[in-house]
Amino acid sequence: MKGKKLKGSALLWAICTLLIFMVIVTGIVSLNQQYVNEEINSYSEKKAEYIARSGIDIIVSEIENGKLDEHLKDTSEFNIILEMEEGVSCDITVQNGDKLITLVSKSQNGVSEETVCARLKRSRGKWEFIGYFIY
């Protein structure tokens, strides 16, 4: 009589083991998906920052080579939009002072938007890049 009671227990243990295994696998997959989403967002933010810095580098080069002298003489502030690649652009605001130029570069990559700022100073008749700063 005792043997008949235990006959179906192997199937019950197998089902319980499968359920526990499925819960563990589901948890691992969920954590992995969160990790992948965080990596995608981090990549998007870094790309937006690098695009904004590249925009500043381009404008600094233009200013140092004298290609924007006419704009700098005419106005104290103007915008330049650079198309970096298809669907990715960089909006740069140039704020011109007597001996100081402030560049504010904004770029967007997907849902990430980054702002990078830089300054140039006039020294001995030439514009020199000072560096990046937090605006």
Side-chain angles (χ1 to χ4, degrees), residues 26-44:
T26 303
I28 291 172
V29 168
S30 176
L31 287 174
N32 189 38
Q33 186 61 39
Q34 288 176 351
Y35 174 74
V36 167
N37 287 341
E38 286 177 18
E39 287 297 315
I40 289 171
N41 289 339
S42 176
Y43 172 79
S44 180

Side-chain angles (χ1 to χ4, degrees), residues 16 27-28 78 91 109 118:
C16 286
I28 291 172
F78 58 93
D91 184 8
N109 183 44

